[in-house]
Amino acid sequence: MVKICCIGAGYVGGPTMAVIALKCPNIQVAVVDISTARINAWNSDTLPIYEPGLDEVVKKCRGKNLSFSTDVEKHVAESDIVFVSVNTPTKTQGLGAGKAADLTYWESAARMIADVAKSNKIVVEKSTVPVKTAEAIEKILTHNSKGINFSILSNPEFLAEGTAISDLLNPDRVLIGGRETPEGKKAIEALRDVYAHWVPVDRILCTNLWSAELSKLAANAFLAQRISSVNAMSALCEATGADVSQVAHAVGKDTRIGPKFLNASVGFGGSCFQKDILNLVYICECNGLPEVATYWKQVIKVNDYQKTRFVNRIVSSMFNTVSGKKIAVLGFAFKKDTGDTRETPAIDKIFNDMQKPAFVFDGRNVVDAEKLRKIGFIVYSIGKPLDDWLKDMPAVA
Ligand code: UDX
Ligand code: ADP
């Protein structure tokens, strides 16, 4: 029986391993973490993260071929394939602070694997890492290997929070990068066999290590770039009387462009886009490519501009000051729909209790602006034709 261990029981490691366990009953899957609180939660009725469908998958497999444990070393030592899914935040100090990925957790995981391994292992990079990380990890593993063979693979995760289980069950593609040596190819085959339990083989892409590492950063940069592009258009829409939803719809109908990820917003959030683009920018700078770095940096700049623009719109509309005024933020989550206020009768109640003029600033185009206007609100919807009030109170970004 193949044994898999995943170091890091977070947003990526937990759901990914749960789905592997579900689809591969012949594989024993252990998810390990240094955080006792996190592991206790994974073993309880209240999982540490919420993802639609996750509870059911974990309940089906836990106690059968899926386990959660803090005994990191034991499970790593026993496994044939070790996924590393530890956090890689942006560095806050030292070389590359504010841009480069902090690989501290990665390095300590790699050193621990080398320490405890007593048999050959495939080590899989699951967390998003800078290009060429595999080379550094390989060095740590082989220089401390005591004669054991390690094959390193890059298998970046493309799931999005909120849709993790359906993304994992039905992925657009699975990407596996490895060395182009006989051992490297054997390791790729072994991991491909795992995914082939449920993913059609034509969706399992095999590449070299560097292509796999870079593809993850590139995919997130392209997705974020689409959002910054439509957000830049939203500012122009407001200035001209165009409606960003209509423009995005018309643009997205071009099959070469496509309709997804063209929703104007108050800016993208989440734990990936900003971090990965900053990382990409840093890698470009380190490789002597300042023009390429500037190009991608602009995606972040437009995102910052969009956030500032939204706040400035709020302040200027309310007579250039918000001091002493109370502002309610509906939907504090980073994604649309989690704070959905459509059809809620509470809004009319809210209106009566509010100081007049009463405003709603919609940074996601999720509220029914016409309904709110009928109630009496002044409504700002990002990228949409402006109410007269807002035209009279121009915001400066
Ligand atoms: C993202 C990628 O989608 C995923 O493939 C990768 O593995 C991790 O990063 P995630 O950050 O979980 O996933 O969520 P996503 O749905 O991509 O949303 C990111 C941000 O972009 C959110 O703040 C969202 O509201 C915003 N967004 C998304 C927009 O503003 N407009 C859009 O059209 C789409
Ligand atoms: P992601 O969103 O990428 O999954 P998270 O921060 O949610 O990231 O999860 C990463 C997990 O990795 C955390 O629970 C953290 O405790 C764990 N972790 C970090 N370093 C180690 C390590 N050396 N050994 C075991 N677990 C680790």
Side-chain angles (χ1 to χ4, degrees):
M1 197 184 204
V2 177
K3 282 194 175 176
I4 289 182
C5 169
C6 175
I7 306 177
Y11 285 93
V12 172
T16 309
M17 292 305 122
V19 168
I20 290 181
L22 179 76
K23 292 295 181 180
C24 311
N26 58 330
I27 296 179
Q28 199 67 41
V29 183
V31 190
V32 297
D33 203 294
I34 39 174
S35 162
T36 311
R38 241 190 186 176
I39 290 299
N40 286 346
W42 278 109
N43 281 321
S44 76
D45 285 338
T46 317
L47 302 184
I49 59 175
Y50 173 71
E51 280 294 340
L54 178 63
D55 264 31
E56 288 82 351
V57 177
V58 170
K59 273 184 194 139
K60 253 190 202 158
C61 306
R62 203 172 49 188
K64 290 186 188 137
N65 64 333
L66 176 67
S67 62
F68 297 91
S69 166
T70 48
D71 200 344
V72 181
E73 300 191 353
K74 169 182 173 277
H75 287 286
V76 169
E78 288 175 355
S79 298
D80 309 288
I81 304 177
V82 180
F83 285 82
V84 185
S85 186
V86 299
N87 25 344
T88 51
T90 305
K91 275 182 86 168
T92 52
Q93 52 186 356
L95 207 61
K99 279 186 274 191
D102 182 349
L103 295 177
T104 314
Y105 301 102
W106 240 107
E107 188 178 335
S108 84
R111 289 187 187 280
M112 184 268 300
I113 297 171
D115 263 2
V116 305
K118 293 186 190 67
S119 56
N120 296 346
K121 297 207 185 306
I122 296 171
V123 177
V124 186
E125 285 180 347
K126 199 67 182 158
S127 19
T128 310
V129 288
V131 190
K132 293 281 179 183
T133 299
E135 203 161 58
I137 302 303
E138 244 172 10
K139 280 188 184 135
I140 294 174
L141 291 171
T142 49
H143 284 278
N144 299 283
S145 73
K146 297 169 283 187
I148 286 161
N149 279 327
F150 292 104
S151 298
I152 184 132
L153 297 178
S154 165
N155 171 220
E157 189 48 71
F158 293 103
L159 64 82
E161 282 175 42
T163 53
I165 298 300
S166 61
D167 291 348
L168 285 162
L169 289 173
N170 189 22
D172 286 344
R173 79 306 208 183
V174 166
L175 183 56
I176 305 173
R179 285 281 185 197
E180 289 156 307
T181 57
E183 299 80 54
K185 285 184 183 153
K186 237 174 98 184
I188 291 176
E189 287 291 313
L191 188 55
R192 192 164 57 178
D193 287 348
V194 172
Y195 285 106
H197 280 80
W198 79 97
V199 181
V201 280
D202 60 340
R203 287 202 215 157
I204 306 179
L205 314 180
C206 301
T207 66
N208 76 31
L209 271 173
W210 326 125
S211 301
E213 286 181 334
L214 182 57
S215 297
K216 175 62 194 276
L217 293 181
N220 274 351
F222 274 62
L223 288 169
Q225 183 196 46
R226 284 174 72 91
I227 302 169
S228 276
S229 297
V230 78
N231 282 346
M233 284 300 158
S234 76
L236 190 55
C237 286
E238 286 166 32
T240 56
D243 178 327
V244 75
S245 301
Q246 294 173 351
V247 173
H249 183 67
V251 171
K253 276 286 177 194
D254 187 323
T255 51
R256 293 167 302 177
I257 298 171
K260 294 182 183 167
F261 263 64
L262 285 180
N263 293 314
S265 65
V266 67
F268 55 76
S271 61
C272 289
F273 286 164
Q274 165 124 343
K275 183 185 87 163
D276 291 352
I277 294 175
L278 287 172
N279 190 347
L280 187 67
V281 166
Y282 182 68
I283 294 169
C284 294
E285 285 169 354
C286 291
N287 280 282
L289 303 168
E291 290 81 0
V292 186
T294 307
Y295 178 78
W296 289 109
K297 211 186 287 175
Q298 198 58 29
V299 172
I300 301 280
K301 279 196 177 170
V302 169
N303 202 46
D304 290 338
Y305 161 80
Q306 188 75 345
K307 289 188 260 186
T308 312
R309 205 168 75 76
F310 188 71
V311 171
N312 287 355
R313 177 71 77 188
I314 295 173
V315 178
S316 70
S317 309
M318 295 162 81
F319 313 103
N320 264 333
T321 177
V322 286
S323 70
K325 292 171 186 159
K326 283 189 184 155
I327 297 174
V329 181
L330 304 178
F332 209 63
F334 81 95
K335 278 199 203 187
K336 175 182 162 178
D337 288 342
T338 48
D340 198 342
T341 58
R342 279 174 292 194
E343 310 304 334
T344 165
I347 287 184
D348 307 65
K349 263 185 272 134
I350 292 172
F351 181 75
N352 290 338
D353 289 346
M354 282 171 78
Q355 297 282 335
K356 308 294 176 321
F359 301 88
V360 170
F361 299 90
D362 182 3
R364 298 269 179 196
N365 288 335
V366 289
V367 300
D368 186 333
E370 280 319 308
K371 241 187 196 169
L372 292 176
R373 285 192 186 102
K374 276 191 197 126
I375 297 168
F377 282 98
I378 294 163
V379 186
Y380 168 65
S381 304
I382 203 139
K384 304 263 181 177
L386 298 173
D387 283 8
D388 287 342
W389 182 284
L390 300 166
K391 280 188 200 151
D392 296 340
M393 304 269 195
V396 192

